[in-house]
Amino acid sequence: MIEEEINIVTLDYPENVRTRSGMYVGGLEDSSVIFREIIDNAFDESYASPNCNQIFIDQNYNGYHLVMDNGRGLPIVMSPDKPDQTMADLAVSCLHSGSKFGSTDASRVGQNGVGSAVCNALSESFVVMSKITENNYDRSIKPVYDLWTSAGPRSKKDLYYIVAYERGYKVYEGAHKKVEIEKMVFGPTCPKGYTELPSGYSTIVMFKPDSELFESTKSKVPLRNIQYFLLIQEKFYRRKVNVVVNGESMVGTFNPYQFEIIKTIIPADTSKNKTV
């Protein structure tokens, strides 16, 4: 009797994540874990960029989970590793691609380059928008260059690169005015009208968790973690950051400790960590 041979197969993205999602997110009871990944990315940007002081989070914005920040924006220039893809596209559609692998001297999470890509793979719809500026318009895809050069000086503030996916597969990439993108993304799903995206944000991520995978697509917002984030920004970094959750500002919502002592301690030897 001849024994059946073992057949070794490989799974490429996004099927590797969708087939063994538990390896990346633990369980599929609800979609809170992938929501948290995108929120953490906005927090990371606030730590990394002094100008990032506005973060917008919503559990159901025109039917999407939505996270926005006014930081530097995702890099929309073409990737040196994969010249046919922008860095933004690569960051959300390829496991272990990111900018934090060497980040050991800052308060950051997500140093493995999997969070956004996993969220993308496990989402029915996943949309990324990043602001087009004078610093990146000529180093991205052609539609970005064409849009920037054709727009007048007054209309350049709301121009965005956009890349969209369905269950991890890219279905669209282009560049448009914010109002045009809103019609494209929200129009078909909001026949009675939709709420416009607030202006002034550089990075916009919106997604719908895949109902075929998650038992519940109603994510929980990590309110306590947001309060801790704001506390750290205020007490240790002396920064005022505004986080809006479901239309309400989280500033001032933390219940302070009864006793609070702030004392600066400088170690005798700072050679191991100069940021202490």
Side-chain angles (χ1 to χ4, degrees):
M1 180 178 178
I2 300 176
E3 293 186 3
E4 184 178 351
E5 291 184 347
I6 297 174
N7 188 27
I8 303 296
V9 299
T10 60
L11 293 175
D12 293 326
Y13 182 88
E15 295 308 321
N16 49 8
V17 178
R18 293 178 61 83
T19 303
R20 290 291 181 265
S21 53
M23 174 181 174
Y24 299 93
V25 299
L28 295 173
E29 290 79 16
D30 63 57
S31 53
S32 299
V33 63
I34 60 173
F35 196 21
R36 174 67 185 271
E37 289 285 356
I38 306 303
I39 293 172
D40 283 345
N41 285 343
F43 289 172
D44 283 352
E45 179 60 17
S46 184
Y47 282 120
S49 173
N51 296 323
C52 182
N53 59 6
Q54 296 286 339
I55 297 173
F56 188 99
I57 301 168
D58 202 291
Q59 292 170 284
N60 186 15
Y61 202 91
N62 297 326
Y64 284 82
H65 289 55
L66 174 66
V67 180
M68 308 189 294
D69 69 68
N70 69 336
R72 297 164 295 179
L74 289 172
I76 67 173
V77 301
M78 306 311 291
S79 168
D81 294 334
K82 295 189 177 183
D84 60 333
Q85 284 184 273
T86 64
M87 291 186 183
D89 176 22
L90 192 63
V92 301
S93 65
C94 181
L95 293 179
H96 306 298
S97 60
S99 61
K100 306 172 191 174
F101 296 120
S103 299
T104 58
D105 61 346
S107 299
R108 287 186 171 191
V109 295
Q111 296 183 6
N112 299 314
V114 298
S116 295
V118 167
C119 180
N120 183 7
L122 301 182
S123 293
E124 168 187 321
S125 176
F126 187 90
V127 178
V128 169
M129 295 168 54
S130 190
K131 205 162 195 178
I132 303 171
T133 71
E134 60 182 359
N135 297 320
N136 61 27
Y137 79 93
D138 56 349
R139 297 185 293 149
S140 187
I141 59 175
K142 189 175 184 300
V144 168
Y145 179 87
D146 292 343
L147 179 64
W148 178 268
T149 54
S150 65
R154 295 182 179 180
S155 60
K156 278 182 163 62
K157 64 179 181 178
D158 272 337
L159 306 184
Y160 285 88
Y161 162 87
I162 175 176
V163 57
Y165 309 82
E166 292 180 0
R167 295 181 170 87
Y169 291 98
K170 183 162 64 175
V171 295
Y172 184 78
E173 185 177 32
H176 301 277
K177 295 179 181 179
K178 181 172 74 71
V179 63
E180 295 171 350
I181 293 176
E182 290 167 341
K183 291 178 182 178
M184 289 167 53
V185 176
F186 301 137
T189 58
C190 301
K192 295 182 179 180
Y194 53 84
T195 304
E196 295 181 2
L197 292 169
S199 295
Y201 291 90
S202 305
T203 301
I204 301 173
V205 179
M206 42 191 162
F207 66 96
K208 294 181 179 181
D210 194 341
S211 59
E212 294 180 3
L213 296 176
F214 291 100
E215 295 177 21
S216 172
T217 56
K218 293 182 179 180
S219 303
K220 302 179 183 69
V221 177
L223 296 177
R224 199 59 171 173
N225 293 89
I226 294 172
Q227 291 174 331
Y228 288 150
F229 164 77
L230 290 172
L231 184 68
I232 291 170
Q233 291 282 2
E234 179 184 355
K235 298 296 184 182
F236 292 96
Y237 294 97
R238 300 292 189 266
R239 296 183 64 223
K240 295 292 185 182
V241 179
N242 185 31
V243 179
V244 175
V245 177
N246 298 333
E248 301 291 334
S249 175
M250 291 290 292
V251 175
T253 62
F254 179 76
N255 187 20
Y257 299 107
Q258 184 177 0
F259 302 104
E260 185 176 289
I261 300 174
I262 300 295
K263 182 179 180 181
T264 300
I265 302 174
I266 301 177
D269 180 11
T270 61
S271 61
K272 299 295 183 182
N273 188 347
K274 295 181 180 180
T275 62
V276 173

